[in-house]
Amino acid sequence: MVLGEGHQRFIQTMMIRGIVNEQEAKTLHHHCCEVHKEHYVADKLEEFIQVVNSKLESLNMKIRTRASEDDGMPCYALVNTANNQLTRMSSDYADNELELFRRTMDLIMSSDDGTASSTDILNSADSLQTRKLTMSAAECLLKRLVSDDWLVEKQGDYSLSTRCVMDMEPFIRTMYDDEQVKVCAVCHCLAFKCQICANPLCTVKIHNPCAEKYFKKKPVQRCPGCSELWPNKVTECRQSVSQRQR
Amino acid sequence: MTQRKSSGKRTSTAVEEEEDDSRFTQPTTSQVQKGMEKLTKAQIDEKTTELVQYILMKDQKKIPVKRADIVKNVLKEYKNVFQEIMNRAQQRLEQVFGFKVVEIDAKNHVYILINKLEPAEGSEMISGNPKTGLLFVILSLVYMKGGVVPEALVWNTLKKMKVDLGERHPEFGDVKKLVTDEFVRQRYLEYTKVPHTEPVKYNFTWGQRAEVEVSKHKILQFLGELHSQDPQRWSQQYKDASSQRSSRAPQPSTSSQR
């Protein structure tokens, strides 16, 4: 099976954009089919992407999807599936910059909430093994990492962007041990911002939007792993009105 | 005495300058074949994939790809089978991404990717690059002035559009750097010294990438829209553009008319 021009245009645009949300992906799907007068069926975005992925697979590339940890809405990104992400970044960043990024990832992975404070990151800049980074160079680097969409910054704390997680997932799962690699018990994807079980012996973690879905119809919230009462407040993440959980 | 256009010495690309290609001698077809026989399918596929990704990565930054760099960074010990791997990579780039590999420098073996897909209305909004608009204005200006334009005219034109060299532009930053460095490195423009000028003056002409990538018809269309006129009114440029269209290799396309 050969890819049509509509598929090719979709791939080219995804390469430029990096990451798109669900609505943008749907619009792009429509646009690509229209421009090349190819058969378009609304709501068949997944099938369209599957066709694209069948050809990208042998090139170690894929259009992946991941739900945002904030609102549960899916995003799409064109990523590499081979385990050489940092090698790819090396064409854009110097070796000591990559090292600082790696240290930032280490801090994030060993945190409870998937963040690293700018203070901690900037302190690491002083003890890099490759070459020191000055404070201002490190701050500049952090700004670049945010604008290149590897990191997200909120009130001085840095976390991995959705696109970064999609891109680096094979790397993360390989390079960090099981304790640090948190996975959501409901959707089984990597979890950074998540709720944890009150039971200290239980390792269950659940994304906020996943928790909302999971506990929606349950009168009593219990941990899917150990059945302890789930104490975390399950708030509404979406616009739709849902019952407030106690 | 005519001055040769200095396309060889480019001091700004010092970062990319690697070993030159002259030491790489092309193996014969049978040598390539023998070389391929020694490789397993998995090895061939792996190198093809690496080469595809390398070329895509360079192209995203609009940096032309040199054969010497490919051999050094990707093929390494597989350099004997360069042509075979390159052919496979070109095929994947065409079939999967809709990109065509074009050699813009046959002596030094430098390649760029051009888009087989026509630019579509609305694409700029979806891919969102305002620099393209600026580039297009300059390319149009050069084209309409017969192919060469003194830099002063370009700066004046931009100034009329509120893009001032002297000020840092909110969208483009250092405009002079963007136009004389980035667009030149990407081979969209050429910025050449006018001989015997004091102080030194420069001219702009279309670069090699613009020659293969930008259809002159599109330029006329763009200008026609700007001035709400029929492109046929500019008869000389229209003739020139029509001859470019017929001399281009026919491209396979599903739609009936370009």
Side-chain angles (χ1 to χ4, degrees):
Chain A
M1 192 217 314
V2 177
L3 287 187
E5 290 187 341
H7 295 105
Q8 292 173 347
R9 186 176 292 276
F10 190 87
I11 294 175
Q12 284 192 18
T13 312
M14 288 302 294
M15 271 176 38
I16 297 171
R17 289 296 304 274
I19 183 171
V20 299
N21 63 35
E22 188 176 35
Q23 189 49 53
E24 288 167 327
K26 287 185 170 164
T27 307
L28 181 60
H29 173 210
H30 187 199
H31 171 80
C32 291
C33 292
E34 253 204 12
V35 167
H36 297 281
K37 302 184 177 30
E38 284 170 10
H39 182 58
Y40 171 69
V41 186
D43 293 333
K44 291 289 185 183
L45 173 63
E46 296 295 329
E47 279 86 340
F48 185 83
I49 289 179
Q50 261 174 31
V51 170
V52 162
N53 279 339
S54 69
K55 290 295 176 182
L56 288 175
E57 200 182 10
S58 55
L59 293 172
N60 291 343
M61 294 168 83
K62 190 175 179 177
I63 295 188
R64 292 192 60 194
T65 175
R66 177 175 164 83
S68 149
E69 291 190 334
D70 294 314
D71 59 16
M73 300 302 284
C75 294
Y76 297 85
L78 177 58
V79 299
N80 275 24
T81 53
N83 210 346
N84 63 349
Q85 283 77 6
L86 282 194
T87 326
R88 274 196 314 121
M89 276 177 86
S90 67
S91 66
D92 292 329
Y93 296 91
D95 50 0
N96 57 347
E97 293 176 328
L98 285 177
E99 194 190 346
L100 186 61
F101 177 69
R102 184 59 204 278
R103 296 281 195 97
T104 307
M105 257 216 282
D106 293 344
L107 287 166
I108 289 173
M109 294 303 296
S110 53
S111 74
D112 285 332
D113 59 357
T115 66
S117 71
S118 58
T119 320
D120 289 342
I121 300 172
L122 293 175
N123 283 341
S124 315
D126 217 32
S127 59
L128 294 176
Q129 284 184 336
T130 43
R131 244 178 317 131
K132 256 174 62 163
L133 268 174
T134 64
M135 210 48 41
S136 63
E139 280 169 350
C140 248
L141 172 63
L142 285 177
K143 282 209 182 83
R144 256 183 81 199
L145 287 166
V146 170
S147 84
D148 287 349
D149 200 17
W150 295 108
L151 295 176
V152 172
E153 186 264 336
K154 196 169 169 186
Q155 295 172 333
D157 287 332
Y158 289 85
S159 51
L160 300 182
S161 69
T162 310
R163 171 260 177 137
C164 180
V165 175
M166 278 202 262
D167 209 71
M168 303 255 172
E169 180 155 350
F171 178 80
I172 290 173
R173 286 192 189 255
T174 316
M175 297 305 284
Y176 294 95
D177 36 68
D178 293 342
E179 260 191 44
Q180 292 175 309
V181 179
K182 302 197 259 300
V183 171
C184 173
V186 171
C187 70
H188 309 295
C189 296
L190 286 182
F192 294 87
K193 245 192 276 194
C194 51
Q195 304 174 2
I196 59 175
C197 181
N199 180 355
L201 298 174
C202 178
T203 57
V204 163
K205 298 165 185 59
I206 307 182
H207 287 126
N208 290 320
C210 294
E212 192 214 337
K213 260 203 305 229
Y214 181 77
F215 292 117
K216 198 167 171 161
K217 298 204 180 97
K218 298 186 164 56
V220 184
Q221 292 173 206
R222 288 194 179 277
C223 171
C226 68
S227 299
E228 275 277 309
L229 278 177
W230 192 263
N232 302 278
K233 184 152 169 263
V234 177
T235 52
E236 288 160 24
C237 299
R238 296 177 209 262
Q239 305 287 7
S240 59
V241 174
S242 60
Q243 279 176 310
R244 278 217 172 269
Q245 309 284 351
R246 253 191 324 113
Chain B
M1 177 176 84
T2 49
Q3 188 94 351
R4 264 195 35 211
K5 264 205 246 190
S6 59
S7 49
K9 295 188 165 66
R10 248 181 257 274
T11 50
S12 58
T13 54
V15 173
E16 285 300 305
E17 226 71 90
E18 309 252 20
E19 53 190 83
D20 79 313
D21 207 25
S22 57
R23 278 174 276 157
F24 178 70
T25 45
Q26 269 283 44
T28 63
T29 334
S30 58
Q31 279 176 323
V32 172
Q33 256 180 341
K34 267 215 195 119
M36 288 297 284
E37 280 162 26
K38 292 205 186 118
L39 301 174
T40 64
K41 183 171 190 305
Q43 286 169 317
I44 296 171
D45 287 345
E46 191 188 317
K47 281 301 165 188
T48 305
T49 298
E50 271 184 51
L51 181 54
V52 166
Q53 294 205 359
Y54 182 79
I55 295 175
L56 285 174
M57 186 260 290
K58 288 282 188 188
D59 182 71
Q60 284 213 304
K61 303 180 203 174
K62 296 295 178 210
I63 301 174
V65 186
K66 299 184 196 165
R67 185 166 74 180
D69 292 345
I70 292 176
V71 168
K72 180 175 176 194
N73 296 318
V74 182
L75 292 182
K76 301 180 197 169
E77 68 272 24
Y78 295 84
K79 71 177 197 186
N80 293 331
V81 291
F82 168 85
Q83 200 51 60
E84 188 56 48
I85 305 280
M86 186 62 169
N87 288 346
R88 282 158 196 262
Q90 282 181 258
Q91 203 183 47
R92 304 312 297 277
L93 286 164
E94 272 200 48
Q95 287 174 352
V96 179
F97 299 90
F99 288 132
K100 197 160 144 79
V101 177
V102 172
E103 191 171 34
I104 55 171
D105 184 343
K107 178 166 166 255
N108 297 309
H109 302 291
V110 182
Y111 309 91
I112 59 167
L113 288 185
I114 63 163
N115 204 339
K116 285 174 68 182
L117 304 180
E118 284 277 309
E121 240 179 73
S123 287
E124 308 77 40
M125 291 190 299
I126 291 187
S127 56
N129 190 354
K131 288 180 188 172
T132 316
L134 180 69
L135 174 65
F136 232 62
V137 165
I138 300 174
L139 288 176
S140 312
L141 179 64
V142 173
Y143 180 60
M144 291 308 286
K145 289 290 180 184
V148 190
V149 147
E151 65 176 316
L153 184 53
V154 172
W155 307 137
N156 279 340
T157 308
L158 293 186
K159 193 163 181 184
K160 288 191 200 145
M161 299 165 67
K162 306 275 191 278
V163 178
D164 202 325
L165 271 201
E167 296 159 5
R168 197 172 171 80
H169 193 266
E171 189 74 62
F172 305 126
D174 183 341
V175 177
K176 184 158 190 206
K177 186 157 187 259
L178 173 62
V179 176
T180 62
D181 184 39
E182 193 172 321
F183 287 162
V184 171
R185 248 188 312 119
Q186 294 172 350
R187 315 276 172 119
Y188 280 113
L189 292 174
E190 276 191 25
Y191 186 59
T192 40
K193 262 194 223 178
V194 181
H196 315 303
T197 50
E198 189 60 52
V200 179
K201 294 208 172 64
Y202 289 83
N203 281 342
F204 280 106
T205 51
W206 277 35
Q208 295 151 310
R209 185 190 291 273
E211 291 286 346
V212 291
E213 244 187 47
V214 183
S215 126
K216 296 193 159 98
H217 257 278
K218 280 275 181 238
I219 295 271
L220 288 178
Q221 225 175 358
F222 170 73
L223 287 169
E225 278 163 20
L226 264 188
H227 301 280
S228 305
Q229 274 178 357
D230 187 341
Q232 295 229 20
R233 286 195 62 177
W234 296 312
S235 50
Q236 184 52 51
Q237 280 89 354
Y238 197 74
K239 255 201 250 166
D240 178 30
S242 298
S243 74
Q244 184 204 34
R245 188 184 260 192
S246 55
S247 70
R248 267 196 185 173
Q251 293 180 359
S253 77
T254 49
S255 52
S256 53
Q257 190 114 354
R258 274 186 64 191

